[in-house]
Amino acid sequence: MKIPLSWLKDFIDLDGLSVEDVARKLTLAGMEVDEILYVGLSMPEYKDGEKHEFKTNGIGWDKEKLVVAEIRQVNPHPNADKLTLLDLYDGEQDQVVLTGAPNIFHLKGAGKLEKPVKVAYAKEGTTLYDGHAEGQVLMTLKRAKIRGVDSYSMVCSEKELGITDESDGIIILDDDAPVGMPLSDYMGDAVLDISILPNMGRNANVVGIARELAAMLGRELKKPDTKVAVSGQSVKELLEIEITTPEMNPRFVAGLIRNVELKPSPYQIQRRLKLAGIRPISNVVDATNYAMIEYGEPLHAFDYDVLKKRAGDKKIKITTRTAKDGEKLTTLDGNERKLTANNVLVCDEKGSLSLSGVMGGAESEVTDSTKNILLEGAAWNFINIRRTAQQHNLPSEASFRFSRGVHPALAEGGVRLGLKYMAEWAGGAVAPDLVDEYPLPPKDAVVDVTVTDVKRWLGIDLTLDQIAELLSRLEFKSEVLSDKVRVTSPNHRMDIGEGVVGVADVLEEVARSYGYDNIPTTTMADALPPQVGNPVHEWEEHLRDLLVALGLQEVVTYRMTSPERESRVAKHDEYVRLANPITPEKSVLRRSLVASVFDSLEKNIRYAESFSFFEIGPIFEPVKNDLPKEPHKLVIVMTGLREATAWDVKEPPTMDFFDLKGRIELMLGGLRLSDVSYTATESYSYLHPGKAAEVKVSGQVIGAFGELHPLVKEQYELGDSSVLVAEFDLGTLRAMTPTYEIKSIPDTPPIYEDIALIVDESVLAETVEALIRQTGGRSVTDVRLFDLYRDEKIGAGKKSLAYALTYQAEDKTMTDAEAAAIRKKIVKRLEREVGAVLRS
Amino acid sequence: MQDKLNEIEKTALASLASVSDPAAVEAWRVANLGRSSELMGVFSGLGKLSKEERPVIGQAANRVKVALEAALEEKAAEVKKAALEKSLAEEKLDVTLPGRTTHIGRLHPSTQQLRRVLDILAEMGFQVYTSREVETDEYNFQLLNFPPHHPARDMQDTLFVEAENRGDNPIIMRTHTSPGQIHAMRHFAATNPQDPPPIRIALPGMCFRYEQITVRSEVQFNQVEGLAVGKNITFADLKGTLTDFVRRMFGENTRLRFRASYFPFTEPSAEVDVECFVCGGEGCQVCKNAGWLEILGCGMVHPNVLMNGGYDPKVYSGYAWGMGPERQLMLRNKVGDIRYFWGNDVRFLEQF
């Protein structure tokens, strides 16, 4: 909400405080000032190294160079039809000023003006915004010749002074503007853009902000004066009100003003409204908006004569009720609205007049020919207003306030203030009395607060008197009893609860009033709970570290995807589907991490020569009309060069199945898992059927990996290299028991020996190694395949496997003869079981 | 014979002077001290000499041998040194050529930042507690004191999951990690319902909002919350804890300020700003010239939330705070586009 400082000053004395001081007080008390916009008041100049506090914008007006002046005569320009020359007095001397402003054009050639026109005059050398440039561009007025006439100064528009972004003419000031006065003294301002928190609806107005400031500064709040002279027949004789659902409409107040004259509001009023972000319309409409911004009660003006006519000149009866499903109302924006039973309407006996609290109806709205006005100020159920405004997509200043809760007590003062401003700006006579139907006044919250409450919740020591004083600043009624303060919430706020909740609500007010920055910072004295850690989280973090150590880059992808995107890897029928996705691309929750990681890989494929990605995170398995399962998965994807290229290294080979398998072996080793086995598998549709393996630990499947199926790879643009992918279920993997025992380093010397064996292609490497280890027993401490070889000499359908063996005895030095004996046993066993032949 | 030895010595030493490389040194050794050298010939001819001559000549020959060996040693060292100097002078690398690298692994920047946060919290006694990402309205809102249709819900635009017959308790994507507060409190309260134990936990995890994906807004983001509940926990403790945390996180001289705010699940509520750590408060693009950065939201746990968690607000109090690791990184490392995080562009990831 934008609040001009000048408006705030109507209600609180801010002498001795800078704009920043005011903004700081408000910000710390919960009314965050997002930006200060200077519109005339001088801007702070920060020296080098000086700390800033607020985002600032705008322009200050030079006191010497920008003054109030009066135009005494408008003369034609000798060489240009669209320009005029103004005879102007700036309080010190006469000036001739050239302008193209259209809103002064009608006075051209009218001779000496009977009533001089007051304007904002900028002398030579003034810095202001360029009125002709796009956006806000600063410029300095320089002497120039325009169409043969000397020009050195100007009469300003709102855009040039930074009051609005656009303007179509010069500012015409109010008649009482004092000629010669510096413009910044007359109407220099600064606008505070304040965020209104959902529980501070009471402060969405100038008085509300002034009240908070008064409390924080310990100064007095000047309450608005709503007194106005009345005449004519009492409105009570002309109108009655019936409220059918008080919980939706606790109060309805109406007043009447007769014989208004519609015209523009005084300039100062228009200026304040514009700075507050409200477009001036006419004095009558402006009065309702001005009163709302000032006081917080949204008002609605009806054309009284329309209502009177609809009532057939009889006494008007206003009824508020809920709408019937399907009922229609044309709102004043010209749209016909189809209503539902939760919408509340203001009606007369002929039918609906307005969608209450949200928008008026077209028929009874104020028009140029309106003479008599019935002014409504009411209270509505805030939740209902919020739903209605959302339902009809009608956010408005009124619904903004009503949906945050406007206290019903404001209705009366609001109507009086609105009528008073109408009378001031549009003439007319306010009718005596108000019609005030108030079936459901809210109960003011009463809360008892003790010294212990304050100590226990806030950590500060305050006496009952201190508590009472802090709260009374915010207009709470505080009664100090023997052991507590009995607090009654003031009649402008609805955010204080009852009981234990009310205590917390009041404690927040004590804290705000005391100042959050005055509360000490203490070290917790409360007992430290048992420190048990989080084994699941810690295990996953450990796994991440392992994978990073293996050279893998972690990625984190979107949980949302589309079935189409995932179907490139695997099709699923059931998904957790979003009811309101931000885009069809993100309409469901992923069933697999594989597709998400491929998406990342595909986007990156041009930017590097090698990729080793992993992601750890949940997938979402739907459960009908209930919460889905969220198992955590690990996916690894690798493709590209095995090693980094360098200037003297020819292109290294690309990664294949065994690069991935090596990482998996190291990962499982790092997790201290033994009894791991790998079995060829064809049951993963996205994997190459000949280059895929299932991984088991102690016989239990924990995941699978392999080369991406060529048909799946075709679906992506992933380059020429093989793409390797692995997927593990972390729940299953984590459940596997690690075995971890540090072996001592033997003192005895090892014997190293290589053997090469020729076997049939069909014999698995795993089988050969297992036989070697079984036969060698404890004497063979390491078996490592170092060569796989095929050629014609060996024969078709055969392969040579070369192993490096380490023989070692635990307690003595093994002799060559002993090693040879073991080897002989191994070779014999291999001959017997897999038909192996020792190569010599 | 004596003259011959003198001659041998003289000739040998003279020829040594012109020796300048290791091969010539070896050749000289063979020629002058080798088995078939003249000097060795003298030694092997000693037997033929008379008894009287033998020791005299033997002694003299030995002296020559020692002298030549010493000269050889000196020369060899000299030649070796010269050769080394020569090779050191010649073997010059272009040290500006790039080194041979390898592919290294990294954690995603969000994980890195989450760890920084969680490590500090762990030291302060806050242990990790995680909970599900798809939630019920009840846990995400109602139990946290957001009644249905409450205006505070406007602060958190929600993604809904398709489900039927859920009434006022639809299934949604969690908008914050706070449902974990209820899960955790209920979990701990269940261990001893008569006298629930104190809680000090950190709740990290992915959260979701109905937000278009732009430079500044994302549909998913991480959050970390801290929650402390006990019989003796105050707003002053909250200030103390967060002051410690922020100084560990952003530097020991970081200034911070607490300003009043509103969250439905805390009362009183506060927003914590830290002095911009990019410009030190002098105003820059990162803080939009405001000098302060909004870094976390916090407050005393609302009595309704304590009650919903199984903790009696008349006996227990607590505080909670929440913050965004991606936002912290964006501020700290001037990341200009929030979409980088889930875009996983290697050119971004490599920089962390």
Side-chain angles (χ1 to χ4, degrees):
Chain A
M1 156 168 216
K2 294 186 168 77
I3 295 194
L5 198 71
S6 66
W7 204 339
L8 214 45
K9 285 178 176 170
D10 287 354
F11 301 100
I12 181 171
D13 178 1
L14 295 176
D15 283 358
L17 296 167
S18 69
V19 184
E20 284 72 22
D21 291 338
V22 173
R24 185 183 317 112
K25 277 285 171 197
L26 290 173
T27 297
L28 290 177
M31 286 141 288
E32 187 186 3
V33 174
D34 290 330
E35 184 179 8
I36 303 174
L37 179 70
Y38 286 86
V39 191
L41 288 183
S42 53
M43 290 179 72
E45 280 173 31
Y46 292 110
K47 289 182 210 81
D48 240 16
E50 202 174 338
K51 310 227 185 241
H52 282 226
E53 266 193 284
F54 295 97
K55 184 181 169 194
T56 53
N57 225 322
I59 183 174
W61 299 336
D62 190 321
K63 282 200 182 217
E64 304 287 315
K65 296 195 174 79
L66 268 163
V67 296
V68 175
E70 61 181 24
I71 301 172
R72 293 176 167 171
Q73 190 162 333
V74 182
N75 299 315
H77 187 287
N79 307 319
D81 285 349
K82 297 224 166 140
L83 299 178
T84 52
L85 294 176
L86 311 175
D87 285 349
L88 172 147
Y89 178 66
D90 68 6
E92 285 176 356
Q93 59 193 82
D94 292 324
Q95 310 278 0
V96 174
V97 183
L98 180 142
T99 182
N103 59 336
I104 203 79
F105 211 70
H106 63 282
L107 298 172
K108 184 168 83 165
K112 192 164 169 59
L113 301 177
E114 239 171 72
K115 197 175 78 177
V117 176
K118 301 284 178 67
V119 292
Y121 175 61
K123 299 177 186 173
E124 185 176 354
T126 311
T127 298
L128 30 64
Y129 292 122
D130 186 340
H132 301 291
E134 189 78 25
Q136 294 190 316
V137 181
L138 283 173
M139 62 141 194
T140 301
L141 273 182
K142 291 195 184 102
R143 193 170 283 268
K145 257 203 169 39
I146 296 177
R147 297 276 185 117
V149 176
D150 233 10
S151 168
Y152 51 87
S153 63
M154 70 190 277
V155 175
C156 302
S157 70
E158 291 187 329
K159 177 171 181 175
E160 282 149 354
L161 293 177
I163 296 169
T164 54
D165 295 341
E166 286 179 356
S167 46
D168 47 8
I170 56 171
I171 301 172
I172 311 285
L173 297 174
D174 295 330
D175 291 340
D176 59 2
V179 172
M181 182 186 263
L183 197 65
S184 66
D185 291 349
Y186 178 58
M187 60 176 207
D189 222 326
V191 182
L192 306 176
D193 191 352
I194 299 170
S195 293
I196 300 294
L197 295 167
N199 68 334
M200 284 197 189
R202 65 179 187 279
N203 292 335
N205 55 78
V206 179
V207 173
I209 296 290
R211 180 188 292 115
E212 293 276 347
L213 258 182
M216 302 307 151
L217 292 167
R219 294 190 183 186
E220 189 199 347
L221 174 72
K222 298 179 219 167
K223 300 215 165 151
D225 178 10
T226 57
K227 278 198 286 293
V228 59
V230 292
S231 61
Q233 196 181 6
S234 165
V235 66
K236 286 183 168 171
E237 294 167 27
L238 304 169
L239 175 79
E240 63 177 297
I241 293 166
E242 187 197 358
I243 293 171
T244 59
T245 49
E247 52 293 352
M248 290 296 152
N249 178 198
R251 189 178 194 183
F252 196 108
V253 178
L256 178 68
I257 182 167
R258 298 185 180 88
N259 290 320
V260 293
E261 186 197 345
L262 261 74
K263 59 180 183 184
S265 301
Y267 180 71
Q268 287 287 45
I269 299 305
Q270 293 192 37
R271 187 186 63 86
R272 278 188 180 176
L273 285 173
K274 283 175 183 173
L275 292 182
I278 306 278
R279 193 163 56 95
I281 311 274
S282 66
N283 46 10
V284 167
V285 177
D286 291 354
T288 63
N289 285 327
Y290 192 92
M292 170 182 69
I293 299 284
E294 181 163 288
Y295 193 68
E297 170 69 22
L299 300 171
H300 184 66
F302 293 98
D303 187 325
Y304 173 72
D305 295 312
V306 172
L307 301 187
K308 202 173 146 197
K309 201 173 151 200
R310 283 165 64 105
D313 281 342
K314 289 197 292 257
K315 192 174 188 182
I316 299 165
K317 185 178 180 190
I318 298 271
T319 308
T320 66
R321 61 167 172 84
T322 52
K324 297 176 194 75
D325 260 325
E327 194 174 349
K328 283 171 186 158
L329 171 70
T330 303
T331 43
L332 54 78
D333 56 5
N335 292 327
E336 190 185 74
R337 310 264 167 194
K338 224 174 133 180
L339 308 173
T340 54
N342 60 309
N343 300 148
V344 177
L345 295 172
V346 177
C347 307
D348 63 6
E349 283 175 306
K350 272 268 176 118
S352 59
L353 295 169
S354 74
L355 186 54
S356 45
V358 178
M359 192 173 258
E363 193 184 338
S364 56
E365 76 171 305
V366 172
T367 65
D368 290 348
S369 56
T370 300
K371 282 275 160 238
N372 304 310
I373 283 164
L374 186 74
L375 190 61
E376 164 203 322
W380 309 102
N381 176 290
F382 74 99
I383 286 174
N384 188 267
I385 294 291
R386 177 172 180 268
R387 291 174 78 173
T388 301
Q390 281 179 346
Q391 177 189 342
H392 297 289
N393 193 22
L394 273 176
S396 66
E397 291 284 342
S399 67
F400 173 84
R401 287 171 176 77
F402 279 133
S403 64
R404 279 165 173 74
V406 175
H407 198 287
L410 297 187
E412 184 194 338
V415 171
R416 288 189 194 283
L417 202 60
L419 292 172
K420 180 187 144 178
Y421 288 136
M422 283 184 195
E424 270 178 34
W425 307 333
V430 176
D433 306 321
L434 298 174
V435 183
D436 186 354
E437 197 59 28
Y438 198 175
L440 194 63
K443 227 177 84 200
D444 291 334
V446 179
V447 177
D448 289 341
V449 181
T450 65
V451 166
T452 316
D453 290 333
V454 173
K455 177 74 179 162
R456 190 173 77 87
W457 209 263
L458 301 179
I460 48 178
D461 292 300
L462 294 177
T463 64
L464 293 176
D465 286 331
Q466 284 172 314
I467 297 168
E469 193 276 327
L470 289 168
L471 288 169
S472 63
R473 288 188 192 194
L474 287 158
E475 298 183 18
F476 283 84
K477 269 178 249 140
S478 304
E479 196 187 340
V480 178
L481 305 174
S482 63
D483 58 348
K484 60 195 168 204
V485 187
R486 179 151 293 164
V487 181
T488 309
S489 71
N491 72 349
H492 57 263
R493 49 193 300 176
M494 314 218 289
D495 60 323
I496 306 298
E498 296 276 352
V500 68
V501 171
V503 172
D505 290 335
V506 169
L507 290 175
E508 175 168 77
E509 295 310 289
V510 171
R512 284 199 318 121
S513 194
Y514 186 75
Y516 280 17
D517 42 353
N518 294 324
I519 294 176
T521 60
T522 53
T523 306
M524 277 208 278
D526 202 54
L528 185 69
Q531 298 286 293
V532 292
N534 183 322
V536 175
H537 175 79
E538 285 155 22
W539 182 85
E540 270 189 15
E541 292 302 309
H542 171 57
L543 178 59
R544 282 191 172 90
D545 284 339
L546 270 175
L547 294 164
V548 166
L550 294 172
L552 272 68
Q553 167 71 54
E554 186 187 21
V555 295
V556 179
T557 63
Y558 286 106
R559 297 328 198 222
M560 298 92 160
T561 182
S562 68
E564 294 71 39
R565 291 189 87 81
E566 283 214 333
S567 69
R568 296 197 285 180
V569 174
K571 283 194 173 43
H572 297 279
D573 294 330
E574 300 297 324
Y575 274 102
V576 177
R577 293 175 191 277
L578 296 181
N580 59 335
I582 54 161
T583 140
E585 290 275 278
K586 295 190 165 49
S587 56
V588 302
L589 301 188
R590 63 186 181 194
R591 290 291 307 266
S592 153
L593 294 183
V594 177
S596 324
V597 180
F598 279 161
D599 287 344
S600 290
L601 182 62
E602 194 175 30
K603 276 193 287 180
N604 272 303
I605 203 75
R606 288 187 298 122
Y607 302 128
E609 57 190 17
S610 181
F611 299 92
S612 297
F613 284 166
F614 77 94
E615 178 164 14
I616 288 175
I619 62 159
F620 301 86
E621 293 173 352
V623 175
K624 195 155 179 58
N625 296 333
D626 207 342
L627 292 167
K629 293 194 185 117
E630 300 179 7
H632 280 213
K633 301 281 179 176
L634 160 67
V635 158
I636 300 173
V637 170
M638 297 168 65
T639 189
L641 300 183
R642 185 174 297 157
E643 293 159 32
T645 49
W647 44 272
D648 65 340
V649 177
K650 298 280 170 267
E651 182 133 311
T654 56
M655 293 189 282
D656 63 22
F657 181 91
F658 296 101
D659 291 283
L660 176 56
K661 188 179 177 190
R663 300 300 204 291
I664 291 169
E665 287 166 346
L666 288 166
M667 175 185 88
L668 296 174
L671 293 173
R672 314 297 180 196
L673 293 174
S674 53
D675 195 13
V676 180
S677 63
Y678 300 87
T679 332
T681 177
E682 294 183 11
S683 48
Y684 295 80
S685 63
Y686 64 93
L687 296 178
H688 188 304
K691 300 178 179 178
E694 214 161 42
V695 190
K696 291 179 187 159
V697 176
S698 306
Q700 164 112 33
V701 178
I702 52 159
F705 69 96
E707 192 175 310
L708 189 61
H709 196 293
L711 290 178
V712 177
K713 196 176 171 221
E714 259 177 36
Q715 307 285 309
Y716 292 88
E717 283 180 32
L718 296 176
D720 299 330
S721 314
S722 306
V723 174
L724 295 320
V725 51
E727 189 176 15
F728 293 91
D729 181 72
L730 293 188
T732 317
L733 187 52
R734 202 176 53 242
M736 295 294 131
T737 318
T739 51
Y740 189 26
E741 198 178 294
I742 302 294
K743 296 189 189 79
S744 39
I745 300 165
D747 297 327
T748 56
I751 292 176
Y752 301 109
E753 188 185 40
D754 295 345
I755 59 169
L757 301 151
I758 297 167
V759 292
D760 284 348
E761 277 290 0
S762 62
V763 175
L764 298 181
E766 184 189 46
T767 314
V768 176
E769 187 181 325
L771 286 170
I772 295 173
R773 286 188 184 277
Q774 278 170 27
T775 316
R778 295 219 302 228
S779 303
V780 174
T781 54
D782 193 32
V783 180
R784 188 172 56 82
L785 180 75
F786 71 89
D787 189 32
L788 171 63
Y789 180 72
R790 297 180 179 91
D791 79 352
E792 290 163 10
K793 275 188 226 156
I794 296 170
K798 301 269 185 193
K799 62 187 173 188
S800 160
L801 300 169
Y803 291 90
L805 305 186
T806 307
Y807 303 94
Q808 198 159 19
E810 275 168 30
D811 48 359
K812 63 183 178 86
T813 300
M814 184 175 283
T815 64
D816 288 345
E818 284 165 335
I822 297 167
R823 189 186 62 170
K824 204 171 163 193
K825 255 171 74 183
I826 290 172
V827 172
K828 263 207 166 137
R829 177 99 184 262
L830 288 167
E831 276 171 9
R832 197 171 63 236
E833 303 220 356
V834 295
V837 176
L838 186 68
R839 273 180 91 194
S840 43
Chain B
M1 194 51 105
Q2 194 75 43
D3 293 345
K4 190 181 170 195
L5 279 170
N6 288 342
E7 185 59 31
I8 287 170
E9 183 180 9
K10 201 177 151 197
T11 317
L13 290 177
S15 68
L16 187 61
S18 61
V19 165
S20 65
D21 63 80
V25 170
E26 179 60 12
W28 184 89
R29 188 194 64 78
V30 170
N32 297 288
L33 288 164
R35 231 176 269 166
S36 44
S37 65
E38 223 175 327
L39 179 61
M40 290 306 141
V42 174
F43 279 109
S44 50
L46 282 177
K48 292 177 193 149
L49 295 177
S50 68
K51 211 172 162 187
E52 294 72 28
E53 262 182 327
R54 215 177 288 158
V56 179
I57 298 303
Q59 221 169 2
N62 216 38
R63 186 196 55 79
V64 172
K65 185 175 170 240
V66 168
L68 291 188
E69 277 171 350
L72 172 68
E73 198 178 320
E74 193 184 329
K75 188 68 181 182
E78 184 189 303
V79 167
K80 194 177 162 194
K81 190 171 167 233
L84 181 66
E85 273 166 9
K86 186 164 171 254
S87 75
L88 287 180
E90 281 170 359
E91 290 170 11
K92 276 254 182 280
L93 290 182
D94 176 358
V95 298
T96 66
L97 281 169
R100 262 170 240 120
T101 61
T102 183
H103 301 133
I104 72 162
R106 291 180 180 86
L107 290 170
H108 188 275
S110 293
T111 306
Q112 294 183 27
Q113 185 66 9
L114 275 167
R115 283 195 178 181
R116 275 180 211 117
V117 172
L118 294 175
D119 285 351
I120 296 172
L121 291 180
E123 288 176 19
M124 298 169 82
F126 291 82
Q127 301 171 84
V128 172
Y129 186 96
T130 54
S131 65
R132 51 183 313 119
E133 296 183 3
V134 183
E135 268 293 356
T136 59
D137 186 274
E138 185 188 15
Y139 272 83
N140 194 79
F141 289 125
Q142 295 166 34
L143 295 171
L144 291 164
N145 202 38
F146 291 76
H149 310 295
H150 192 272
R153 291 189 178 212
D154 288 347
M155 296 162 91
Q156 303 192 357
D157 287 327
T158 307
L159 283 162
F160 291 87
V161 168
E162 280 183 9
E164 285 158 19
N165 305 321
R166 301 282 315 179
D168 257 346
N169 191 21
I171 296 174
I172 62 168
M173 303 300 291
R174 69 172 172 191
T175 57
H176 47 188
T177 49
S178 311
Q181 292 187 18
I182 302 288
H183 288 296
M185 279 193 265
R186 289 186 169 183
H187 165 80
F188 288 110
T191 62
N192 186 2
Q194 297 317 310
D195 186 22
I199 298 176
R200 230 175 272 188
I201 52 172
L203 304 121
M206 197 66 88
C207 303
F208 308 85
R209 299 271 171 96
Y210 181 87
E211 292 259 14
Q212 296 304 321
I213 299 170
T214 68
V215 173
R216 311 207 134 269
S217 66
E218 256 294 359
V219 69
Q220 73 177 32
F221 57 92
N222 277 293
Q223 204 178 52
V224 184
E225 266 181 79
L227 171 72
V229 178
K231 291 178 180 168
N232 181 21
I233 291 177
T234 69
F235 192 84
D237 290 338
L238 167 63
K239 282 188 73 177
T241 303
L242 290 187
T243 302
D244 286 348
F245 173 79
V246 162
R247 290 186 176 159
R248 282 289 314 275
M249 195 76 219
F250 300 110
E252 60 178 333
N253 297 320
T254 308
R255 290 208 307 154
L256 66 167
R257 69 176 187 193
F258 289 74
R259 56 186 166 78
S261 190
Y262 169 74
F263 306 104
F265 43 105
T266 50
E267 182 93 68
S269 303
E271 203 87 53
V272 178
D273 298 335
V274 301
E275 193 168 72
C276 180
F277 36 73
V278 175
C279 63
E282 288 177 32
C284 68
Q285 271 193 320
V286 174
C287 62
K288 300 194 198 78
N289 272 321
W292 294 92
L293 296 169
E294 201 174 298
I295 213 80
L296 53 89
C298 63
M300 297 300 289
V301 181
H302 195 281
N304 283 342
V305 176
L306 286 173
M307 267 187 283
N308 292 334
Y311 284 76
D312 180 357
K314 291 198 176 99
V315 179
Y316 290 87
S317 56
Y319 61 72
W321 83 94
M323 57 207 159
E326 285 88 34
R327 176 171 160 75
Q328 289 171 353
L329 280 183
M330 290 181 78
L331 294 173
R332 205 189 65 168
N333 298 104
K334 299 188 203 175
V335 177
D337 190 335
I338 196 171
R339 293 172 299 188
Y340 284 175
F341 287 97
W342 320 135
N344 293 303
D345 191 313
V346 288
R347 295 166 298 176
F348 174 67
L349 301 177
E350 275 167 10
Q351 296 184 54
F352 287 88

